[in-house]
Structures are given as structure tokens and as C-alpha cells.
């Protein structure tokens, strides 16, 4: 049986680190150890678990600054979406803005699909927009998805940082909202929510704006323009930002 729990860690920002535990084997995965890596490692050990994997939803510094301490404690690999430049570039991962140099060396690159090793029941879904390397970790059987900073309870991710893209973000949100509506979404900085709750909220927001490129049914098309859609492009004449 698998379970997921949150450790709220604090550094420059407060970030949600998630521990996915397999109680039968005593193994766990740490997702986004943003800060306080030693406290995360201590919490894992206090539950009688052994961390055999770290996974990153994206490479911003507030999701990776605790990686070295957790990896040092357990000697486990770090999974990140293939080709991410954020893990080695303090400007891109924003740590330079705060006088820091956050980096993650020698990651194990992953693509879309089942995770490697013991965690093949969890699917990686590439969701660029907040960053090009943004990734959702979806456990279909468990009914939850770790969505990083792509979508939050009552909001969506920021696309204004280096590498962000508004159109990509909206398409990625469409992919997330195509999951079963009772799927629990576990974001990087807010409380949990569900696919159904966020889909209903966005339907209410988008209703009546005919300038759309993203349909409320979440079948994304550059040519899908209907009364229940919305466009977040710079050319849009409506105030469609969320």
C-alpha cells in the first residue's frame, strides 16, 4: 500500500515536499526537497522508511536546495526531466537572485511514462509552461498527482520566469484537468485540491469569453474558439489572466 504525506519546508519560500511511501517494502520517494534536507531525512527515518529515490517536478531553487542533504543521507538517485538546464544554472533556477548557487549534479534523466526502478507505478507527465522541465508525477491507483508549480488551489503557475511560456502552461493545465475529476492535486506551494474543483473554477472564470484557445472541455486546440473558452495570449482583448 502506498501513501503520500507532506513536509512543509521553509527557506526563502515555504515549499511542499512530498513523501510517497510504500509501507509494504519500507521504501519511499522524496519529491521536491526544496529546503531543510536534514529535517526531511530525519522525518523519513523517524517513520522507519528508507528513501531510494528523489524526484523533481522542476528545477527552480526552492524545489532543489534540500536535495544534497537528502541524497547524502540515503545515497539515492535524483530523477529530473531529460535535458533540464535549471539544475546547473543559478540564473535559470533563480537562486542567483537571492545570492545563492543551487545545483543538482548527476541527475538520472527521465522521459514521459512510468518512472524507472521500484516506482514504475507512478507516471511522469511532461507539463511545460512554468518551466520547460516541469513534470507531474501521477499515481493512478493512488488517485493523486504531484503537480509542482503548474497549478495550485485557486490559481495557476507563473509563466514569467526565464523559460516560462503562457501557451505551454495552459496546454499543460489542460492535460492535468483531463485526469479523473476526483484526482487529488498536490501542488508545490498551496493546499491540496482536486481536478474537479479546479475544472469547475476555471469553467466559471472562462465562461462568456469568446476569445479562446483553450476549451473548457480541456481538448486543447489552437483553433477551438467557443463561448466557453478563454485565450491568455498577449493579443487577447479581455482581462483573462488568472
Amino acid at each position: 500500500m502506498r501513501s503520500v504525506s507532506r513536509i512543509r519546508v521553509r527557506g526563502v519560500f515555504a515549499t511542499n515536499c512530498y513523501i510517497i511511501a510504500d509501507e509494504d517494502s519500507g521504501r519511499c520517494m522524496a519529491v521536491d526537497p526544496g529546503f531543510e534536507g536534514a529535517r526531511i531525512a530525519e522525518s523519513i527515518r523517524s517513520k522507519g522508511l528508507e528513501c531510494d529515490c528523489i524526484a523533481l517536478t522542476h528545477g527552480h531553487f526552492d524545489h532543489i536546495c534540500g536535495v544534497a542533504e537528502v541524497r547524502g543521507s540515503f545515497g539515492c538517485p535524483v530523477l529530473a526531466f531529460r535535458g533540464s538546464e535549471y539544475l546547473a544554472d543559478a540564473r535559470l533556477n533563480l537562486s542567483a537572485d537571492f545570492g545563492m548557487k543551487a545545483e543538482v549534479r548527476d541527475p538520472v534523466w527521465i522521459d514521459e511514462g512510468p518512472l524507472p526502478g521500484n516506482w514504475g507505478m507512478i507516471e511522469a507527465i511532461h507539463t511545460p509552461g512554468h518551466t520547460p522541465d516541469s513534470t507531474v508525477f501521477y499515481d493512478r491507483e493512488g488517485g493523486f498527482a504531484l503537480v509542482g508549480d503548474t497549478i495550485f488551489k485557486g490559481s495557476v503557475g507563473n509563466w514569467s520566469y526565464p523559460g516560462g511560456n503562457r501557451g505551454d502552461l495552459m496546454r499543460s493545465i489542460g492535460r492535468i484537468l483531463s485526469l479523473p475529476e476526483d484526482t487529488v492535486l498536490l501542488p508545490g506551494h498551496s493546499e491540496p485540491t482536486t481536478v474537479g474543483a479546479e475544472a469547475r473554477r476555471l469553467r466559471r472564470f472562462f465562461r462568456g469569453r469568446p476569445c479562446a484557445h483553450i476549451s473548457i472541455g480541456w481538448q486543447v486546440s489552437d483553433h477551438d474558439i467557443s463561448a466557453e473558452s478563454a485565450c491568455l495570449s498577449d493579443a487577447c482583448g479581455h482581462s483573462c489572466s488568472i
Side-chain angles (χ1 to χ4, degrees):
M1 184 177 70
R2 289 186 302 283
S3 64
V4 60
S5 60
R6 178 178 69 170
I7 302 175
R8 195 162 175 81
V9 296
R10 294 187 178 275
V12 177
F13 309 114
T15 301
N16 294 329
C17 171
Y18 294 100
I19 307 300
I20 303 175
D22 184 321
E23 284 85 359
D24 294 336
S25 66
R27 295 180 287 101
C28 75
M29 171 195 299
V31 179
D32 289 353
F35 303 103
E36 298 188 280
R39 182 165 76 86
I40 294 169
E42 181 181 355
S43 176
I44 291 170
R45 286 212 164 96
S46 72
K47 297 174 182 177
L49 298 170
E50 183 73 16
C51 183
D52 67 357
C53 178
I54 297 169
L56 304 177
T57 62
H58 63 293
H60 277 161
F61 81 107
D62 53 321
H63 293 252
I64 68 173
C65 279
V67 165
E69 289 176 302
V70 177
R71 179 157 61 174
S73 294
F74 296 100
C76 53
V78 180
L79 309 184
F81 196 79
R82 183 174 302 280
S84 172
E85 298 178 350
Y86 289 70
L87 304 184
D89 189 320
R91 181 190 65 83
L92 285 177
N93 68 37
L94 306 180
S95 60
D97 293 349
F98 297 90
M100 305 163 61
K101 186 179 180 180
E103 63 179 2
V104 175
R105 298 181 179 180
D106 302 319
V108 175
W109 297 123
I110 60 172
D111 300 298
E112 281 210 347
L115 295 184
N118 296 319
W119 297 99
M121 74 293 290
I122 295 177
E123 179 185 357
I125 303 173
H126 187 212
T127 53
H130 178 63
T131 61
D133 64 343
S134 289
T135 309
V136 164
F137 298 112
Y138 175 44
D139 186 325
R140 183 179 298 275
E141 181 181 342
F144 62 85
L146 283 70
V147 296
D149 291 358
T150 296
I151 189 169
F152 303 102
K153 183 178 182 179
S155 186
V156 301
N158 189 329
W159 58 77
S160 67
Y161 298 124
N165 183 282
R166 180 163 31 190
D168 286 345
L169 182 71
M170 293 302 110
R171 283 184 282 274
S172 292
I173 289 171
R175 293 193 71 185
I176 293 170
L177 296 184
S178 70
L179 299 176
E181 68 171 16
D182 60 348
T183 302
V184 177
L185 303 180
L186 300 172
H189 298 284
S190 73
E191 296 302 309
T193 185
T194 65
V195 165
E198 296 312 303
R200 288 189 292 272
R201 179 183 68 82
L202 290 170
R203 284 192 184 97
R204 289 194 297 271
F205 181 86
F206 287 157
R207 186 165 288 116
R209 292 177 168 88
C211 55
H213 288 179
I214 298 177
S215 73
I216 292 309
W218 308 116
Q219 298 301 312
V220 178
S221 168
D222 289 340
H223 305 291
D224 184 2
I225 301 177
S226 68
E228 290 193 349
S229 303
C231 171
L232 300 187
S233 72
D234 291 331
C236 174
H238 294 278
S239 298
C240 291
S241 60
I242 297 175

